[in-house]
Amino acid sequence: MALRVTHRALFSSNLANLQTNLSRVQGTQERLSSGKAITRPSDAPSGTAAALLHRSEISRGEQLLRNADDGLAWLSTADSALQDINSATARVRELLVSANNGSLSAGAREAIALEIDGLREQLIGVANTQYLGRPIFGGTTASAKAYDANGAFLGDQQPVSRSVRAGVAVQVNVTGPTVFGQPGDDLFGFLASVSDHLRNDPSQLGADLGKADAHLQTIRNALSVTGARYAQVESMRTKTDNDLLLAKSKLSEIEDIDLPATIVDLQLQETAYQAALSATARSVQPSLLDFLR
């Protein structure tokens, strides 16, 4: 038995098809305007899950980059200060070599002692070098200074570390005693004794020269350690940056549209929609007014 196709049934069918075509056009326009292939989780559940995973990787990578940048700034500040400390201490050694000469007059030794006093004050100032308001040689101390005006250590010897890679934390500070020596046997006390020996007991200057060499070696060891840590953090930063670029590329592959293909798709859908409108207009012509005539 043949089914009777009424105008109402034909109209409903055509309207449903038009609505489907229009929905496709709208979805494509939305993707084109946003530039994203996934505008809601229902568009691609598996793609959404993968995108969330990559976003988490990107967020973690960006935090590691910030940590690495902060660590590099700490280490760069420490390296600059250590270079100044090394230069000043090397100058002390030069002065000791000159002073370790029995023919020098008391006036000449006094002039050298005054210069060493100035170098001592300069070194105490460098020992209080800060990064973001924190003394780089003070460990984790809350004090604004690592050393007081007399050269007494005010900080602690706790490390300041930065996580620069998954499972990798690098110490980015150098504690004062590591550079200047332990309290009671530090560089500042040594310089005070050198100044005193120049004025009162020149016979001790030969032994002071050996102590100066020991302090220089300690400072240069700290410079080597700082340089090695800087290279490590920089290497970790480069790896994290590469991982971040890869994660962003994978996220783009999942989320971003293929622009030329989407434009062509939209044009085809608009053409199909216009054709469907035209066909519907021709097939659903009779109206109630036509029947009443």
Side-chain angles (χ1 to χ4, degrees):
M1 181 178 67
L3 293 175
R4 179 171 176 268
V5 179
T6 64
H7 286 288
R8 180 182 180 83
L10 184 61
F11 179 79
S12 297
S13 176
N14 287 334
L15 183 61
N17 290 333
L18 285 174
Q19 189 63 39
T20 300
N21 288 338
L22 187 59
S23 178
R24 291 198 189 101
V25 172
Q26 180 186 8
T28 305
Q29 287 177 332
E30 188 176 355
R31 289 194 296 275
L32 192 61
S33 62
S34 67
K36 299 297 181 182
I38 302 175
T39 57
R40 56 184 64 84
S42 59
D43 290 342
S46 61
T48 299
L52 288 173
L53 180 61
H54 289 311
R55 285 187 181 279
S56 177
E57 292 175 357
I58 290 170
S59 178
R60 183 166 54 252
E62 288 174 342
Q63 181 60 57
L64 289 174
L65 284 183
R66 288 191 291 271
N67 293 349
D69 288 338
D70 185 62
L72 290 173
W74 268 90
L75 290 165
S76 179
T77 304
D79 181 77
S80 178
L82 286 168
Q83 294 286 357
D84 292 341
I85 294 165
N86 182 65
S87 297
T89 308
R91 176 56 181 164
V92 169
R93 187 186 188 284
E94 290 176 8
L95 292 172
L96 277 170
V97 171
S98 299
N100 195 25
N101 184 337
S103 63
L104 281 182
S105 66
R109 290 198 305 273
E110 176 64 22
I112 293 174
L114 288 172
E115 184 173 352
I116 286 180
D117 289 341
L119 288 169
R120 182 176 182 275
E121 290 182 11
Q122 175 187 333
L123 284 165
I124 290 174
V126 177
N128 287 316
T129 299
Q130 294 183 343
Y131 172 68
L132 296 179
R134 295 178 60 183
I136 61 172
F137 297 116
T140 58
T141 181
S143 173
K145 292 185 175 182
Y147 288 86
D148 66 14
N150 296 318
F153 186 52
L154 303 175
D156 58 48
Q157 299 191 51
Q158 296 301 312
V160 175
S161 300
R162 293 292 179 267
S163 178
V164 295
R165 194 81 173 158
V168 179
V170 179
Q171 182 176 341
V172 297
N173 73 320
V174 184
T175 59
T178 304
V179 179
F180 303 103
Q182 296 297 325
D185 188 30
D186 57 34
L187 180 61
F188 307 118
F190 165 69
L191 293 177
S193 67
V194 168
S195 181
D196 179 65
H197 293 160
L198 282 164
R199 292 184 172 99
N200 303 308
D201 190 4
S203 65
Q204 298 295 323
L205 295 177
D208 288 339
L209 185 58
K211 292 178 181 178
D213 287 335
H215 280 293
L216 270 173
Q217 187 59 51
T218 299
I219 293 164
R220 287 166 183 170
N221 288 342
L223 267 168
S224 295
V225 170
T226 300
R229 290 173 181 169
Y230 189 98
Q232 182 184 7
V233 174
E234 196 170 39
S235 174
M236 294 296 100
R237 190 195 186 287
T238 299
K239 291 179 180 179
T240 300
D241 200 28
N242 291 337
D243 289 347
L244 193 58
L245 288 174
L246 181 60
K248 287 180 177 179
S249 176
K250 290 180 178 179
L251 180 64
S252 178
E253 290 176 4
I254 294 171
E255 288 191 336
D256 294 348
I257 61 170
D258 181 342
L259 186 59
T262 305
I263 291 173
V264 171
D265 195 23
L266 178 62
Q267 290 173 342
L268 290 173
Q269 289 175 0
E270 287 176 341
T271 299
Y273 179 65
Q274 293 298 329
L277 279 176
S278 178
T280 300
R282 288 196 299 270
S283 62
V284 188
Q285 290 183 359
S287 65
L288 178 60
L289 185 60
D290 294 326
F291 287 107
L292 293 176
R293 286 176 179 171

